[in-house]
Structures are given as structure tokens and as C-alpha cells.
Amino acid sequence: MNASMLKQAVYYLNDGLKQVGREVDAMEIVDIIQEHAVATALSAGASGAIAGVGGVIAMGIASASTIAMYGRLANAIGVRLGNGLIRALGSAVVADIAAAVTANLALSAAVSFIPGVGTMASVALTGITNFCFVYMAGVIFLKLITALGVSRIETMSEAELKSAAKNIQSNMDIKAAMKEAKKVYKEVG
């Protein structure tokens, strides 16, 4: 699997946790992210068959999947975040990543009106776009936990978490992340 950005994020997370006497199962973390990304790709891809509005439905699916993934990741890492903070963090990340995938979803909506081939293209494009979306959201979450530390993140307000997430995203090469996610999609999808 060519998931170097994800593997690196898990490695740095584990390295930081070891400094405070904790450790996570790296494969469990990778599996959680990939399971949510694949499930999102499948369900969002199916929504791509709905002419015109499939992209909107797909964004809803990706948003819900990202929030659920954050809950599972927080549990696996041992971070105590309430549902409100997980939703706030998820919505902040979703809003920023959505800007990066809007063109793909708009193209998907446009081709979905072409019967047959257009529908199939829309399904494929929507699926891969949403896989990439959730994959990147997972990497951002890991980088956020690493940058802030478990004890600090547990005491932050919604506004502080959103601001920190935006900072992580602004320092991330979104094009490289999308490229990596597409490679991983081809391997696991």
C-alpha cells in the first residue's frame, strides 16, 4: 500500500504518544481510516447515479462518515472528546476539504445527466472523490492530535480546535494528499 502520508502521520502520532508512556496500534488506526474511506466511496459512489444532486448527497455521506471516523479514532487513540467537539472538529475539516473537492463533484453532477456512460462516470468520480475526502480528513485528525498532544486537545474549546484544524490544513499539501489518496483508492477500492 502506498499510503506514505497516512503512515507518516501514524508514526509521528505514535512517537509523540510514546513520550508520554502511551502507544496505539498503528494498523488499527490505518484500518479505521481506510474502512471509513472505502465505505464512504461505495455509498457516495452510489449517490453519483442520481443525476444532478448526487454530489450534494455524497458530501452529506462524507461528512457523517468523517464524524463517525473521528469518534472511532479518538477512542482507539485514547482521546476523550465529547460528541460536540468531534462534530465541531469534523465540520471544520469537512468545510475546508470540501473546497478542494468541489470541482470534482461539480464535474460528477454535470456528467451524471448523460445516460449510461455519464452515470457510470459520475458514480466512479463521486466514489473516488469521497474516498480521498475521508482519507485526507483522517490524516488531518492524526496530525492534529500529534501537533497538540492528547492532554491539550482534551481541554480545548470548539473554537480552538477549529482554529488548530485550519492551521494543520493550511500547512498540508492538499494536491499531494489527493494524489496519494487516489493511489490508495486504486489499491484498496
Side-chain angles (χ1 to χ4, degrees), residues 53-184:
V53 297
V56 174
I57 295 168
M59 285 306 299
I61 292 168
S63 298
S65 182
T66 297
I67 291 167
M69 177 180 65
Y70 281 3
R72 284 185 65 199
L73 286 171
N75 188 49
I77 296 167
V79 178
R80 291 179 301 273
L81 292 177
N83 284 340
L85 285 179
I86 289 174
R87 283 191 196 103
L89 181 57
S91 68
V93 171
V94 164
D96 284 349
I97 295 176
V101 300
T102 299
N104 286 352
L105 293 176
L107 177 60
S108 171
V111 299
S112 71
F113 288 106
I114 303 168
V117 173
T119 301
M120 294 307 293
S122 178
V123 166
L125 187 57
T126 302
I128 194 167
T129 299
N130 279 273
F131 179 94
C132 295
F133 182 102
V134 174
Y135 183 90
M136 286 191 304
V139 171
I140 290 166
F141 185 80
L142 299 179
K143 288 183 173 213
L144 183 67
I145 301 284
T146 302
L148 299 174
V150 172
S151 60
R152 182 168 173 222
I153 202 167
E154 291 176 338
T155 62
M156 295 177 76
S157 69
E158 276 186 40
E160 290 169 325
L161 273 175
K162 285 181 177 182
S163 175
K166 285 183 185 285
N167 188 37
I168 295 289
Q169 286 173 262
S170 69
N171 292 320
M172 193 171 161
D173 185 348
I174 297 295
K175 286 184 181 184
M178 285 288 282
K179 188 175 181 180
E180 176 180 309
K182 285 177 185 177
K183 286 180 184 175
V184 174

Side-chain angles (χ1 to χ4, degrees), residues 3-19 22-27 29-30 33 139 142-143 146:
S4 58
M5 191 175 289
L6 176 57
K7 287 180 180 178
Q8 183 182 44
V10 173
Y11 172 81
Y12 286 134
L13 171 69
N14 232 354
D15 192 46
L17 289 173
K18 284 178 185 175
Q19 293 176 17
R22 296 169 72 179
E23 194 170 351
V24 295
D25 179 352
M27 279 313 299
I29 301 300
V30 170
I33 292 171
V139 171
L142 299 179
K143 288 183 173 213
T146 302

Side-chain angles (χ1 to χ4, degrees), residues 33-46:
I33 292 171
Q34 288 186 345
E35 286 168 10
H36 279 270
V38 168
T40 302
L42 293 173
S43 56

